[in-house]
Amino acid sequence: MIYLFNELSSFAGADFKRCLKLMSNERYVKVQKYKFDNDKIRSVLVYLLLRIGLLKEFYYKDKPGLILQENGKPGLADASKIKFNMSHCKKAVACAISKYEVGIDVQELVVYDEGLGKTVLSNREKKFVEHSADKNAAFTRLWAQKESYGKYMGCGIVYDLKSTEFNDDRWIENNNECVTTIEEFADFVLATYSLEHLDKQMITYDDLLYYIGFFEQADD
């Protein structure tokens, strides 16, 4: 399941203070290392989405401890069979949970630059972007797909981006039987890469407040 929250402007300082108490020790330390408050807020929110997903799918109520796995991806310290991936941008935060490896990316609009296109796009992808009515939107969709693949692999964007080609479709079955999805919102794009189809659940601000209250009681 994919959990997505995009009502960031509704999230207040008081909410942030409540959520800090819901973090595991290592996540709390990670949050505090961010220099800017908005980055701290997004880091808190995406961890909260992970807690919500683990509760809904596995009735896992504890504060999940996170570790860095051998492939460089974050994992759960005490539940290695549960796979997840998280992403955040200025407009949204998202978390994908699966029994298989998964990568997810939320990305606000990226302005297309021909030099960058030559570096990260295959010839076919580059032609597609340059013949699109909205080059920036087309490039952003492809970039998000490539980011989600890199996160699935655990290598980020440190791989041969040009040789890993994507189609600009909503659902694509790749040769290795993985499924990549791409969904466009008003001010950001959501992309996933996984071994299974993942449904999406929008988490509203009211939902968020409910789960904050639930976890406050559960953590006492």
Side-chain angles (χ1 to χ4, degrees):
M1 180 73 77
I2 299 165
Y3 300 90
L4 180 67
F5 177 73
N6 65 344
E7 299 179 34
L8 274 68
S9 61
S10 300
F11 195 74
D15 303 324
F16 176 74
K17 291 179 180 178
R18 292 175 69 187
C19 286
L20 279 178
K21 298 178 181 179
L22 306 179
M23 306 288 103
S24 62
N25 290 335
E26 73 275 3
R27 190 67 183 188
Y28 179 87
V29 170
K30 179 179 176 65
V31 169
Q32 296 302 332
K33 288 182 178 180
Y34 284 107
K35 180 178 179 180
F36 300 107
D37 288 344
N38 285 338
D39 292 326
K40 292 181 179 181
I41 288 171
R42 290 188 285 267
S43 183
V44 161
L45 283 171
V46 78
Y47 180 87
L48 187 58
L49 288 189
L50 174 63
R51 287 201 69 173
I52 291 171
L54 292 175
L55 174 69
K56 291 176 66 67
E57 296 185 42
F58 303 98
Y59 207 62
Y60 185 108
K61 295 191 292 184
D62 297 332
K63 298 176 182 178
L66 306 185
I67 59 172
L68 198 62
Q69 302 178 105
E70 291 183 1
N71 62 358
K73 295 180 64 175
L76 296 177
D78 58 354
S80 60
K81 292 184 179 180
I82 301 174
K83 307 298 182 182
F84 72 93
N85 201 233
M86 303 183 291
S87 180
H88 54 80
C89 67
K90 293 179 181 180
K91 302 297 184 179
V93 296
C95 178
I97 298 176
S98 175
K99 59 185 177 180
Y100 303 109
E101 291 291 354
V102 60
I104 189 167
D105 186 59
V106 283
Q107 177 68 61
E108 60 262 26
L109 189 70
V110 180
V111 176
Y112 177 66
D113 174 83
E114 186 174 354
L116 180 60
K118 289 180 179 179
T119 303
V120 304
L121 300 179
S122 69
N123 289 334
R124 189 202 64 82
E125 290 171 333
K126 190 171 181 295
K127 287 180 181 178
F128 171 80
V129 170
E130 293 182 346
H131 286 86
S132 297
D134 189 336
K135 295 180 182 179
N136 295 336
F139 180 69
T140 300
R141 292 192 296 269
L142 288 170
W143 179 258
Q145 288 176 298
K146 289 174 183 285
E147 284 262 25
S148 67
Y149 173 76
K151 295 180 72 175
Y152 166 87
M153 295 295 293
C155 58
I157 58 170
V158 186
Y159 69 94
D160 190 349
L161 295 166
K162 294 179 66 173
S163 296
T164 307
E165 188 174 78
F166 290 92
N167 295 314
D168 189 60
D169 296 323
R170 181 177 173 83
W171 298 96
I172 307 146
E173 295 286 345
N174 289 322
N175 291 334
N176 59 359
E177 297 183 351
C178 285
V179 180
T180 179
T181 71
I182 183 72
E183 187 170 358
E184 197 167 6
F185 294 80
D187 46 12
F188 67 93
V189 165
L190 169 70
T192 61
Y193 194 94
S194 65
L195 286 169
E196 63 175 348
H197 163 66
L198 297 173
D199 292 323
K200 181 181 86 269
Q201 180 173 349
M202 298 294 299
I203 301 296
T204 67
Y205 179 62
D206 288 339
D207 293 334
L208 207 67
L209 292 181
Y210 167 81
Y211 284 109
I212 289 173
F214 177 90
F215 289 129
E216 285 175 332
Q217 293 185 6
D219 291 349
D220 283 343

